[in-house]
């Protein structure tokens, strides 16, 4: 418990120099709101939502480049190491792409991760990336589409500011499309609580409960 004893005596939490140079408001959030040794003075997570640094935060990053007519999204990396709930291939229409143009459709190795997100493997980045997080997938409106690309369907999600974002996919057959729609519907029914197993003695657990 040496670490716990040391932590309880600290008046101000030490931070790496790189962190201190990042943003004054961020440092204020950490040192004066979150990492406060005195529990009576420490802000709750709900109260921290009113901090200027949090209030000034924007949504998902949007990058534009000359000559591009669509937004480039910065995707989160899928860090879930468990086997996916479902996997297969889908055609994805580029953002602002023309469904009638074959060049605007990209074939993706897609899967529904154990955590309920819709993700894919990016050959360009050699990474597994999250396309739609579970919270957004649960609220998505799903519709079959009459499209030049057969067996298409659309997912529409409400973003910050009240506007809708949509993603269009196409399967290789009617059966494949229905299977994907069924598996996406299963996301809402599954139990996603997956605690990590931690071994600890009774004394250590008791100390954690008593520590403030």
């Amino acid at each position: 418990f040496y670490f716990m004893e040391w932590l309880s005596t600290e008046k101000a939490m030490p931070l790496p120099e790189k962190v201190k140079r990042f943003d004054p408001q961020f440092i204020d959030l950490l040192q004066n709101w979150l990492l406060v040794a005195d529990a009576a003075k420490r802000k709750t997570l709900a109260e921290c939502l009113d901090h200027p640094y949090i209030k000034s935060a924007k949504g998902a990053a949007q990058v534009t480049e000359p000559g591009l007519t669509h937004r480039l999204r910065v995707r989160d990396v899928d860090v879930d190491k468990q086997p996916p709930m479902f996997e297969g291939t889908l055609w994805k229409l580029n953002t602002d792409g023309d469904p009638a143009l074959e060049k605007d459709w990209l074939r993706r190795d897609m899967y529904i991760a154990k955590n309920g997100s819709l993700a894919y493997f990016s050959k360009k980045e050699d990474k597994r990336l999250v396309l739609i997080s579970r919270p957004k997938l649960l609220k998505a409106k799903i519709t079959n589409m009459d499209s030049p690309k057969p067996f298409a369907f659309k997912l529409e999600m409400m973003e910050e500011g009240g506007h809708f974002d949509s993603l269009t996919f196409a399967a290789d057959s009617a059966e494949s499309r229905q299977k994907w729609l069924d598996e996406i519907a299963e996301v809402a029914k599954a139990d996603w609580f997956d605690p990590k197993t931690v071994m600890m003695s009774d004394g250590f657990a008791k100390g954690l409960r008593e520590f403030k």
Side-chain angles (χ1 to χ4, degrees):
F1 291 103
Y2 291 127
F3 173 73
M4 295 297 188
E5 291 177 1
W6 165 81
L7 194 61
S8 66
T9 62
E10 287 295 304
K11 300 302 181 184
M13 292 298 105
L15 295 173
E17 288 300 320
K18 287 185 178 180
V19 175
K20 291 181 179 179
R21 294 194 297 267
F22 175 67
D23 185 289
Q25 286 190 339
F26 179 65
I27 302 307
D28 180 64
L29 172 63
L30 289 180
Q31 290 189 324
N32 300 323
W33 290 53
L34 287 170
L35 303 180
V36 179
D38 188 339
K41 297 179 180 179
R42 189 185 312 132
K43 302 290 186 181
T44 66
L45 291 179
E47 289 173 330
C48 287
L49 293 177
D50 286 328
H51 190 277
Y53 181 79
I54 299 297
K55 282 190 164 185
S56 65
K58 304 297 181 183
Q62 298 178 0
V63 183
T64 58
E65 295 181 2
L68 292 181
T69 59
H70 62 273
R71 293 173 293 173
L72 297 177
R73 293 174 174 81
V74 179
R75 304 290 187 193
D76 292 330
V77 176
D78 177 26
V79 296
D80 193 339
K81 302 299 183 183
Q82 301 184 72
M85 300 290 294
F86 179 73
E87 58 186 331
T89 57
L90 283 174
W91 294 91
K92 178 184 175 296
L93 181 65
N94 283 335
T95 305
D96 299 329
D98 185 345
L101 299 179
E102 192 66 28
K103 68 179 182 67
D104 285 348
W105 291 90
L106 296 177
R107 191 174 181 84
R108 298 284 198 189
D109 292 324
M110 306 282 300
Y111 61 95
I112 298 176
K114 183 70 174 178
N115 60 22
S117 62
L118 181 64
Y120 69 101
F121 179 77
S122 171
K123 294 180 180 179
K124 180 179 179 181
E125 299 189 39
D126 194 28
K127 295 178 181 177
R128 300 188 306 165
L129 302 176
V130 176
L131 189 62
I132 307 175
S133 65
R134 180 176 180 257
K136 288 186 178 182
L137 194 60
L138 290 176
K139 298 179 181 179
K141 178 184 177 182
I142 307 174
T143 54
N144 289 335
M145 292 180 59
D146 291 328
S147 167
K149 187 78 170 175
F151 317 119
F153 63 96
K154 179 186 292 187
L155 298 179
E156 290 182 294
M157 297 142 290
M158 181 173 288
E159 299 287 343
E160 292 183 6
H163 71 275
F164 280 88
D165 189 17
S166 65
L167 295 173
T168 302
F169 302 93
D172 290 325
S173 66
E175 294 77 12
S176 176
R177 176 174 65 180
Q178 189 58 49
K179 181 62 175 175
W180 274 103
L181 297 182
D182 291 344
E183 293 295 333
I184 291 174
E186 285 297 315
V187 170
K189 302 177 184 178
D191 181 5
W192 301 102
F193 180 63
D194 186 27
K196 303 296 183 182
T197 300
V198 179
M199 298 291 292
M200 63 177 67
S201 67
D202 290 339
F204 183 71
K206 182 175 183 294
L208 285 180
R209 286 193 294 268
E210 294 175 351
F211 175 74
K212 291 185 178 180

